[in-house]
Every structure is written in structure tokens, then in C-alpha cells.
Amino acid sequence: MNMSNNKKITRLLIANRGEIAVRIMQSAQKIGIHCIALYSDADQNAMHVKQADEAWYIGASPAKDSYLVVETVLQVAKDAQADAIHPGYGFLSENAGFAQAIQDAGIIWVGPPVSAIEAMGSKSESKALMEKAKVPLVPGYHGDNQDEMFLAEQVKKIGFPVLIKASAGGGGKGMRVVESEDEIMAAIKASKREGLNSFGDDKLLAEKYITRPRHIEIQVFMDQNGNGVYLFERDCSIQRRHQKVVEEAPAPQFSEQERQAMGEAALQAAKAINYEGAGTVEFLYDNGTFYFMEMNTRLQVEHPVTEMITGQDLVVWQIKVAQGESLPLTQDQLHIHGHAMEVRIYAEDPDNDFLPTTGTLDHLQLPKLIQGRVRLDTGVQQGDEVSPYYDPMISKLIVWGEDRAQCLSTLKQALQTYQIAGVTTNLSFLRRVVNVDAFAQGDVSTQFIEEFDQQLLKQSAIPLHHLVAAVCQHMFNLESIGKKRRASDDYTNPWHGLSSLRLNQASKHTLRFNTKSDETLDVDVTLCNGHNNQTQASPLIELQIAFNGDHHTVKTRKHDNQVQYEINGQWRSARVIEHNNILWIYDNHGESQLSYVQSDFNQHTEQAGSLTAPMNGTIIQIDSSPGQVVKAGDVLMIMEAMKMEHAIKAPMDGTIKEICFNIGDLVNESAMLIEMDEA
Ligand code: ADP
């Protein structure tokens, strides 16, 4: 932190993007600080740019060409006359060189001293430091000897299972669990490789793998005068791929004595490195015993749950400390009030190993936000693109209740009304997580998702009423396409539009849908003209729907973007969004997703041969190479989107010039995949 005490911050540069940039701005602007944002090509229209007082362009979309370029960010800080920089989390937040360069330029760093970042930057060295400060550690080896045979000996000494970690690792990368002697060497080599590739450092440590721990971390804060407090704990045990998805404070089933013991140990850790500002000390907790894991020298993603239970604004605290002020409250003045939970909404596919997804947020309906009770931190709005360049987190939903039970029911309610279409997200998965009985009982561990995977990962069969809603909406969509094509016609019969699509030749049609679990659903739909009671604004249509051998008579109409339908004597309504043949169905019973398989009676939008991506997806196979001579219709590449494969075929005879992507790459809709010269 800047040594010049009590210097007021008036112009704050936020060296970050997305939800955390927006969140920092909200607090800074509230206390009269002018906020300066940064943006890359992909972020020109981003929310953090719109909400800033001014914004500076820093380069191309990949973070390594913009948000991670120390010289560029520093130069903007100087040119924009920023007197302070807040790094947020991720990007440059734990880059000691950046923190040093800023302070050398006379700019306040809203973060801890460079020496503290350095001390905690390596898991091995931080463990050595904590050992000295008498903070309890997971038993293991964290020394300098990196000889593979020596490391293997250490692993055996610790006793199986053992966790091998890249010392410079983060985000769950570079970790391997070793269960037996024959796995040791392969794990050492793999972690070294991952450490080197991801962090430029192949140093490893090994520790006892605790089989069913909880992840409990302590929020600490220190000012420049050496005063420190802990703002209690957060339980972040619910993780996938060693990354957090649900966090809460206070930790369930946790005693006051444990809270105090861990709080004091965390503060001891912070004091041992002359810490300043906000920091988090992470522990593994195993049946009343706790072990230091690492300290994160920045604001954490999950800091809002701490804010909700303490009533404090941690970003304001950070700014005050950076200005040289004392901590706003002493330990005695801090109290836990109620209970808070946070869920992270990611653009990812839980049914596909949580791989990130991309796309356009065609439809966003937020839960009802209530001051102090339901909060949503986000950096995107409807219509925004989730690009492959940055972290796939869309938002954080944070709720508060007087006690854990009330908090949980508020969370369930909020999750139920949160709708996102256009991008596959983990929303349904999160709804399932918070409905697991063990979660309600606070019986959590880092193994939670594995333990309950049967309940969490399988999308159950699509409810009949969701399928009916999809059919009705799909018919309305076809009708409006038909109408547009026949704009000059003025038909009062709503299905006239469809006849232009040759839909009513037999008045009976088969629609084919695929579920996310690759089940094919064929639905026979018969149109019965619905002249009765119809007005042009919301015609009432009657359909006969046959599915799985059962026949249903359905009446349907559109109302306020909702499709309303009557089946078995009951009217229901749903919101169905259709984009690129994917249908998202939402109603107050939940969410379903279906993909519509084009059939002959519909006009093909699928290109016979186009070299651009038909939708957001992943390249899974490449069947051509530069220089190759191909014939029109040859399959050149296969991409996968929404669990369906799409063949990219040559539109003409010619020669391949360039293949623009590799296997495994995420591509955006309409990205050029292959360049080719016509014969
Ligand atoms: P990263 O810096 O990559 O996030 P951490 O060291 O913070 O890695 O660990 C991330 C997660 O991995 C923890 O929250 C915990 O779930 C698991 N983990 C780490 N160390 C151990 C261990 N010794 N035993 C069991 N689980 C562990």
C-alpha cells in the first residue's frame, strides 16, 4: 500500500472487467470517487464500461493482449491521471510486479503490500511461513528439493491418499490425487507439466489428501497501522473441479469456539506477513481440526456473503485502508447478523463436465431484487455476448435471511424465477443443489457434488407440460415466420401463415425434438382451426398432440410474451424462448431445454455448405487440411453445439486455404471456420 498516509482517492482506475468492475464502481461512486474503466475489443459495450465515469481502450479481446498487459494498464493510469488502482480479483490482482510498478509511479495500490503478495504467491513458501507463525498445516512436503525420485519418496512417507499440487497453482489447476504407489510418477509429471504450462513454474508440493473436508475460509482485514480484525468465516465446500459454486456465511454446524480459533489463526497469518487491506485465509476443516491451505491477497469473489451478515461494504473498507485510515470497526464491534448464501451462475454445461459455453444472452429475467435480502452482482445484460475470452461467470446471486432456513427458502425462490436463455448455464444444476436434503441440513463437504451426482447431474425426463409449451410456442413461431413471408396478406386465420410453409397439407405434422440427454421425442401435431373466440391479437388455437401413444387436446394462445395453454382442463403458462433451434422453457415449476430437429416440411436454415459456424459450439473433429482439394459437399470439419454434431461441408469445389481453429476450440456463431479458394 502507498506509504503516504491519508491521501484521498479521487480518481480510481479499475483494472478489471465484468461483475467485479461494476461492483467496485458501485461502492466507489457512492462515496464520490470518479471511476475509470478499461475495455478490450470484446467489451466495448460492456456494462462496466457504460457505468464508469470514463473508459479507456486497452487492446484486443484476449486478456493477454489487454487486461493482462502491465505496461498498457499502467500507461492508461498515468494518462487518465488515476490516483489509485483497484485490481479486483483475477487478472493482475496478485501480480507483485504490477503492484510495485504502480506504487513506483506514485499511484495508490488498493491491495496489500508487495511483500505480502510475494510471500503468499507460492503455496510452498506460504506454507513454510505459516509453519513458522505456528498456523496448523496439512501434513506434507513443501520444500525446495524438486527431484522426482525424492518427491515420490515424500509422497509415500505422507501415506495415501496424497494430493500433489503445483505450488504456483490456482483455480484448481495442477492438482492430482494419488491413491497408490504406481500412480505417483505419472501424477508428478502431469502436475509439473500443468504447472509449467499454466503458471510458468513446475514447483510442486505434496500433502495428505483429506477425503471429506469442508472448505472454510476467514475474511481478514488490516490497516496500515497493524490493526487487524476477522470478519468471520465463509463455507465454500460446494465445489466442482475444485472450484467454488455455492458459498455461505456463517458456516453451518460451526461453533463459536471454532469460529474464534480459526479467526485468530487467520489474523495471526496476516500479521506474520505485515498484511494490509482485505485478505482471505483458506482452511480445510475436518471434524473440528483445521489446516491452513493458502492465503488470497485480494478481494474474493464470494465477499458479498460476508457483507450481508456484517452489514459492511468491504470495497469501501479497502478504499479507506488504502487512504491510510484506520479500520472502520474493531473486533468487538463486529457481529454476525442472520445468514447469507451466494450461488455463482456460470455459462457452463453441468451435463458436459462443466465445460464453459458461449453465446448471446437472448433472454434474461432476473429474480426480484430486494435491498438487503436479494442481491445480484453481474456485469452483463440481455443481448450481451458471453465470449470465450474471459471467465464464464454470468452473475452471483446473493441472498440473506434471518436464519439459514429462511435464507435457503429465499434462495430457492430467487433461483426459481431467474431465467436465462441463449446460453447454457448451470442454473438448473444450482436449483438441484439447493434442493438436496443434505444441503438443507448443512451437511456439506468438498465431495458434495460427487456424492450427489445422481441427483444433480441427470436432467430428469422432460415434463409433458413443458413439451406441450414448446410445441405451442414452436407453432406460433412458424406462424409468424409464415406471416413475415406473406406480409401483404391480411389473413385472420392465424394458421394461414403456416400454410405457406406447406404445414397444413395433411393438417398433421411430426415435430422432432432432442432432449439434453440425447433422447429423441417425436410429437404428432394436428391443427384444428381455432376460429372460435379469436381476435387477431391473441387467437385461440386448438391442437391435437400425440406423444408416446397418448393423445391430448390442447388450446393455446399468446399473452404478454408467454404461451398459455390448456391441457387436461387446466390452463398453464410458460415462457419459451427459441433461438437457433434451441428451446428454453420456463414456468414456475422449473426449466427445460429441447433442441428442435429440422424436418422436411420446414424451410432449411441449415446451409448446404457454409464455412461459418451455424451457432456457438466446440470444434470436435477436423477432416481437411490446408492445400487439400475438395469437392462441394465434402465434410471438412465437425462441430458440436448443444450436444448435437454439425458437419461443416464444402460449399463448392476448391482448395482449402486455412483451417481457422483447432480441435477443442470454442467458436462463436458465424465465426469463419475455414478459408477456401474456389476451383
Ligand atoms: P487453488 O489455489 O487452485 O484454488 P487450493 O489449494 O485453494 O487450490 O485448493 C482448492 C480446493 O482443492 C480446496 O478448496 C479443496 O476442496 C481442495 N483441496 C486442496 N487441498 C486439499 C487437501 N490437502 N485435501 C483435500 N482437498 C484439498
Side-chain angles (χ1 to χ4, degrees):
M1 214 152 288
N2 199 293
M3 295 318 287
S4 55
N5 271 0
N6 292 322
K7 198 173 161 221
K8 273 265 172 252
I9 294 175
T10 59
R11 296 174 63 80
L12 178 68
L13 182 131
I14 296 146
N16 216 299
R17 63 175 303 282
E19 72 86 18
I20 192 61
V22 172
R23 190 262 163 278
I24 292 164
M25 258 175 238
Q26 276 162 354
S27 289
Q29 287 171 335
K30 184 174 76 184
I31 54 172
I33 294 174
H34 178 97
C35 290
I36 303 159
L38 304 177
Y39 66 96
S40 65
D41 285 331
D43 279 342
Q44 303 202 31
N45 278 314
M47 190 190 275
H48 77 274
V49 177
K50 291 179 187 154
Q51 296 197 356
D53 297 293
E54 63 180 80
W56 292 62
Y57 174 73
I58 47 162
S61 305
K64 67 172 181 28
D65 300 323
S66 47
Y67 296 102
L68 286 173
V69 185
V70 170
E71 302 74 36
T72 313
V73 178
L74 187 60
Q75 192 58 48
V76 170
K78 289 179 189 163
D79 294 344
Q81 297 181 321
D83 48 28
I85 292 192
H86 194 307
Y89 55 73
F91 290 145
L92 298 171
S93 61
E94 289 171 292
N95 182 318
F98 178 62
Q100 186 62 56
I102 283 165
Q103 292 169 76
D104 291 346
I107 299 170
I108 297 174
W109 166 247
V110 185
V114 171
S115 56
I117 301 177
E118 280 169 343
M120 291 297 162
S122 143
K123 290 188 205 286
S124 306
E125 276 146 47
S126 65
K127 281 186 85 174
L129 259 166
M130 291 302 115
E131 199 165 34
K132 261 200 229 147
K134 305 233 168 349
V135 179
L137 302 182
V138 188
Y141 176 76
H142 50 264
D144 286 330
N145 190 341
Q146 292 293 306
D147 176 75
E148 290 182 7
M149 294 312 289
F150 176 82
L151 285 175
E153 278 311 308
Q154 299 307 308
V155 170
K156 277 187 247 167
K157 237 194 242 166
I158 295 167
F160 300 109
V162 172
L163 186 65
I164 295 177
K165 290 187 189 179
S167 177
K173 276 201 191 127
M175 290 203 268
R176 287 282 182 299
V177 182
V178 183
E179 309 268 4
S180 60
E181 210 169 318
D182 54 330
E183 295 172 11
I184 301 178
M185 271 330 225
I188 288 178
K189 286 188 196 301
S191 287
K192 269 188 187 274
R193 217 170 29 238
E194 229 166 278
L196 199 61
N197 288 341
S198 299
F199 313 101
D201 184 350
D202 66 358
K203 187 170 184 183
L204 301 183
L205 66 139
E207 57 189 35
K208 182 83 194 161
Y209 180 68
I210 301 171
T211 42
R212 202 178 178 274
R214 287 166 68 182
H215 174 120
I216 297 184
E217 57 184 38
I218 305 286
Q219 175 73 57
V220 294
F221 239 103
M222 289 190 70
D223 64 21
Q224 297 184 15
N225 304 316
N227 303 310
V229 295
Y230 59 90
L231 290 95
F232 315 112
E233 77 280 1
R234 294 185 284 258
D235 189 313
C236 313
S237 300
I238 311 244
Q239 307 180 341
R240 47 113 185 78
R241 306 166 142 224
H242 300 299
Q243 280 185 289
K244 302 160 187 164
V245 227
V246 181
E247 300 104 344
E248 61 179 306
Q253 302 178 6
F254 197 61
S255 71
E256 199 51 54
Q257 289 90 310
E258 289 173 311
R259 173 165 301 125
Q260 195 179 339
M262 271 172 81
E264 279 164 10
L267 211 47
Q268 205 173 318
K271 287 186 172 158
I273 54 167
N274 298 317
Y275 203 74
E276 289 168 19
T280 296
V281 184
E282 297 190 329
F283 294 98
L284 285 175
Y285 171 94
D286 188 22
N287 281 324
T289 313
F290 60 90
Y291 308 101
F292 170 85
M293 204 166 20
E294 64 170 351
M295 178 168 184
N296 289 322
T297 54
R298 53 173 163 82
L299 192 67
Q300 303 252 117
V301 176
E302 59 275 21
H303 75 277
V305 290
T306 302
E307 297 187 317
M308 298 289 256
I309 60 155
T310 57
Q312 302 304 307
D313 181 326
L314 297 192
V315 172
V316 170
W317 276 49
Q318 285 189 295
I319 292 170
K320 283 180 187 272
V321 167
Q323 290 180 153
E325 293 175 39
S326 304
L327 292 175
L329 296 177
T330 60
Q331 194 68 56
D332 292 344
Q333 293 169 318
L334 282 162
H335 303 285
I336 296 179
H337 180 51
H339 200 97
M341 291 177 179
E342 174 182 280
V343 292
R344 301 187 189 189
I345 292 93
Y346 281 107
E348 66 181 18
D349 189 354
D351 297 327
N352 189 17
D353 210 13
F354 300 98
L355 283 185
T357 55
T358 59
T360 306
L361 296 163
D362 293 318
H363 165 74
L364 260 189
Q365 181 180 295
L366 306 185
K368 186 162 179 249
L369 305 182
I370 305 168
Q371 177 74 30
R373 283 193 180 254
V374 182
R375 160 177 169 181
L376 192 90
D377 283 15
T378 189
V380 293
Q381 51 210 2
Q382 186 165 303
D384 281 359
E385 190 76 24
V386 176
S387 74
Y389 301 115
Y390 312 114
D391 186 272
M393 195 168 75
I394 294 174
S395 65
K396 309 185 302 208
L397 173 63
I398 309 112
V399 302
W400 181 89
E402 281 160 27
D403 52 34
R404 192 170 185 272
Q406 192 193 70
C407 178
L408 180 57
S409 61
T410 308
L411 178 60
K412 286 183 184 174
Q413 184 64 27
L415 272 174
Q416 203 58 48
T417 51
Y418 196 172
Q419 303 177 352
I420 300 176
V423 180
T424 300
T425 71
N426 64 343
L427 261 178
S428 308
F429 175 76
L430 291 171
R431 289 190 198 108
R432 293 194 281 269
V433 168
V434 302
N435 275 299
V436 172
D437 287 342
F439 182 71
Q441 285 147 22
D443 180 15
V444 292
S445 83
T446 59
Q447 298 307 304
F448 186 89
I449 289 176
E450 281 83 357
E451 282 170 13
F452 294 98
D453 68 341
Q454 289 305 314
Q455 211 169 326
L456 294 174
L457 294 177
K458 293 262 153 59
Q459 194 189 27
S460 47
I462 180 159
L464 174 70
H465 60 273
H466 278 183
L467 181 64
V468 170
V471 167
C472 295
Q473 175 68 45
H474 187 71
M475 298 309 267
F476 280 112
N477 288 351
L478 287 185
E479 189 232 356
S480 74
I481 297 168
K483 266 199 178 145
K484 271 187 215 142
R485 295 213 172 105
R486 304 161 57 88
S488 59
D489 296 73
D490 180 23
Y491 288 94
T492 49
N493 179 346
W495 300 105
H496 261 236
L498 287 174
S499 62
S500 71
L501 294 172
R502 283 169 281 127
L503 248 177
N504 69 348
Q505 273 165 4
S507 199
K508 186 177 172 191
H509 317 278
T510 301
L511 302 182
R512 172 165 286 185
F513 298 97
N514 277 345
T515 66
K516 282 205 79 195
S517 41
D518 283 337
E519 203 189 335
T520 299
L521 311 176
D522 284 329
V523 186
D524 290 325
V525 186
T526 311
L527 305 171
C528 318
N529 272 352
H531 279 287
N532 302 341
N533 300 332
Q534 70 175 347
T535 64
Q536 242 185 309
S538 63
L540 193 63
I541 310 299
E542 200 173 296
L543 304 173
Q544 294 286 344
I545 294 178
F547 171 65
N548 259 354
D550 292 330
H551 292 262
H552 309 272
T553 302
V554 175
K555 291 199 189 90
T556 181
R557 64 174 168 239
K558 289 295 291 282
H559 181 67
D560 276 352
N561 285 329
Q562 302 260 329
V563 53
Q564 300 187 328
Y565 55 99
E566 188 212 52
I567 179 167
N568 302 331
Q570 193 194 351
W571 277 96
R572 292 170 176 269
S573 71
R575 179 80 200 254
V576 183
I577 293 98
E578 183 171 3
H579 181 77
N580 280 335
N581 294 330
I582 307 295
L583 294 109
W584 271 268
I585 305 115
Y586 285 99
D587 65 11
N588 44 21
H589 299 280
E591 173 195 346
S592 298
Q593 216 173 304
L594 285 173
S595 53
Y596 170 63
V597 184
Q598 301 263 8
S599 53
D600 286 329
F601 58 78
N602 198 4
Q603 305 268 319
H604 269 264
T605 51
E606 212 172 83
Q607 304 88 332
S610 166
L611 298 172
T612 57
M615 61 179 83
N616 293 310
T618 313
I619 306 299
I620 57 167
Q621 191 176 308
I622 296 177
D623 302 287
S624 52
S625 51
Q628 187 179 336
V629 177
V630 296
K631 287 237 168 300
D634 283 359
V635 174
L636 307 180
M637 176 185 270
I638 294 182
M639 62 178 281
E640 188 193 71
M642 310 303 302
K643 298 218 145 189
M644 278 168 37
E645 293 189 1
H646 301 263
I648 307 300
K649 296 177 183 168
M652 62 229 174
D653 295 353
T655 311
I656 304 292
K657 217 167 120 190
E658 193 187 336
I659 309 282
C660 310
F661 291 94
N662 294 315
I663 291 178
D665 283 353
L666 282 172
V667 295
N668 280 339
E669 181 180 342
S670 68
M672 180 60 76
L673 300 175
I674 293 170
E675 285 184 38
M676 138 177 206
D677 289 326
E678 195 163 0

